[in-house]
Amino acid sequence: MHEENSRRDMIKKVATMALASTALSSLSERVAAHDKAVGEPLKGKINHSVCAWCYDIPLADLCVAAKKIGIPSIDLVDPKDFAILKKHDMISAMVASNGPEWGITRGFNNPAHHDKLETYFRHYIDETAKAGFSNLICFSGNRNGLSDEQGIENCTKGLQRIIGYAEKKKVTLVMELLNSKVDHHDYQCDHTAWGVALCKSVGSENFKLLYDIYHMQIMEGDVIRNIRDHHQYIAHYHTGGVPGRHEIDETQELYYPAIMKAIYETGFKGHVAQEFIPSRPDKLASLNNAVHICDIA
């Protein structure tokens, strides 16, 4: 009996050691991304971009740093700054659209904005197309008491006034999914299901969603399942660590290599943009680390 108990104890110890080794190996793989040198070749399965607003440096300097890392695109650049991108042989995979008459809180769900939005977006569609870029961001606006159904109806009416023009110019209008729990209280396009319903209502391949992984983890979780189920309505992705929207490494709750693998397996050919706020002193090192974390084999 004593011999049998000893055998069982040994088996348990071996199993425990194996599990610990596996966990350590997984953690080591995640941390190893931090050791990648700037300029180390990327594997090419993910098209990378980075959001300009996260880095307190001139756009020209960000272009230089991004190119060294292997990032060909800067997100959320206004047309007035396209010349800087062109000078550095960069693109904007998602063009900004920040007008005085509208924004995240004032968007297509309010018919009172539709006339100005039509004028504004026709101009921005022209500028995006002229530069040879393809995606232009847009927003739903805050609910302000609107039901989900009424918000979809209002957005559809507003978007359909310009979607034909976008189709003609080969520009895709992309509405961002944002969380209304922490960062953008009362924002209407705050769940994947609502955004997908709007895509179906608009009924054009030139209207899709920007799936912000940070925001949707906060609102609904189940990130990989939602990506797999609704990938045909997604034109672009943004990253960010949860909680806090900082680095996307082992300090936060999401495992980005698995998310990138799921995105790649859908056949996605667009861009994934880093949109986290670096908390470490060397912000560009954090950016380099994030790109390599997302650089799946």
Side-chain angles (χ1 to χ4, degrees):
M1 180 65 73
H2 177 73
E3 183 178 346
E4 182 65 24
N5 286 339
S6 296
R7 187 180 296 111
R8 287 175 181 169
D9 289 343
M10 181 59 70
I11 291 170
K12 289 179 181 177
K13 287 179 181 178
V14 170
T16 300
M17 290 173 65
L19 287 172
S21 176
T22 300
L24 182 60
S25 174
S26 176
L27 179 59
S28 296
E29 288 174 4
R30 295 177 75 174
V31 174
H34 295 191
D35 300 326
K36 300 291 186 182
V38 172
E40 183 167 333
L42 300 173
K43 299 178 181 71
K45 287 188 174 181
I46 299 295
N47 296 316
H48 299 280
S49 186
V50 57
C51 291
W53 72 269
C54 302
Y55 300 86
D56 188 24
I57 60 175
L59 179 59
D61 293 344
L62 181 59
C63 288
V64 172
K67 285 193 77 171
K68 287 180 180 178
I69 294 170
I71 303 171
S73 165
I74 309 291
D75 264 32
L76 305 181
V77 176
D78 192 88
K80 67 181 176 58
D81 293 320
F82 284 172
I84 298 173
L85 297 183
K86 297 289 187 178
K87 180 180 178 181
H88 293 276
D89 194 27
M90 300 284 283
I91 68 167
S92 183
M94 184 60 61
V95 175
S97 58
N98 303 307
E101 301 294 340
W102 88 291
I104 290 173
T105 63
R106 294 158 57 88
F108 281 96
N109 66 355
N110 187 340
H113 301 156
H114 287 176
D115 286 345
K116 290 180 179 179
L117 285 170
E118 180 177 0
T119 300
Y120 179 85
F121 269 89
R122 282 179 178 268
H123 170 67
Y124 265 65
I125 289 167
D126 283 341
E127 293 300 307
T128 300
K130 191 188 307 180
F133 304 150
S134 57
N135 291 327
L136 175 60
I137 200 168
C138 66
F139 303 97
S140 66
N142 283 4
R143 289 181 177 84
N144 292 318
L146 282 179
S147 68
D148 282 349
E149 295 76 13
Q150 190 63 55
I152 289 171
E153 182 179 333
N154 290 351
C155 282
T156 300
K157 289 178 180 177
L159 288 162
Q160 286 182 339
R161 292 172 62 164
I162 55 173
I163 201 65
Y165 192 68
E167 291 169 350
K168 179 181 176 181
K169 295 288 185 173
K170 295 181 171 53
V171 170
T172 299
L173 298 177
V174 188
M175 185 171 287
E176 186 166 14
L177 293 157
L178 301 172
N179 84 75
S180 60
K181 180 180 178 181
V182 176
D183 299 288
H184 302 288
H185 296 287
D186 202 43
Y187 183 72
Q188 187 145 44
C189 187
D190 64 349
H191 280 81
T192 306
W194 192 93
V196 168
L198 178 58
C199 287
K200 292 177 179 178
S201 181
V202 173
S204 170
E205 284 297 307
N206 288 68
F207 176 75
K208 292 195 174 183
L209 302 174
L210 193 171
Y211 188 94
D212 190 303
I213 298 163
Y214 160 78
H215 287 294
M216 290 302 95
Q217 170 67 3
I218 290 172
M219 288 305 297
E220 59 193 18
D222 212 7
V223 168
I224 289 177
R225 185 193 302 274
N226 277 320
I227 287 170
R228 287 172 174 164
D229 287 351
H230 305 298
H231 64 89
Q232 65 268 39
Y233 301 105
I234 299 171
H236 198 75
Y237 291 91
H238 279 172
T239 73
V242 180
R245 199 179 195 142
H246 298 305
E247 279 77 0
I248 62 169
D249 54 20
E250 73 284 352
T251 62
Q252 53 95 53
E253 68 190 33
L254 289 166
Y255 184 54
Y256 268 91
I259 296 172
M260 293 301 115
K261 183 173 182 287
I263 290 171
Y264 176 76
E265 288 175 348
T266 67
F268 182 69
K269 302 300 183 185
H271 286 74
V272 175
Q274 302 295 334
E275 196 187 25
F276 65 91
I277 302 169
S279 61
R280 297 178 184 133
D282 191 339
K283 296 180 179 182
L284 294 176
S286 285
L287 174 58
N288 182 59
N289 293 339
V291 168
H292 282 282
I293 287 169
C294 293
D295 184 39
I296 55 172

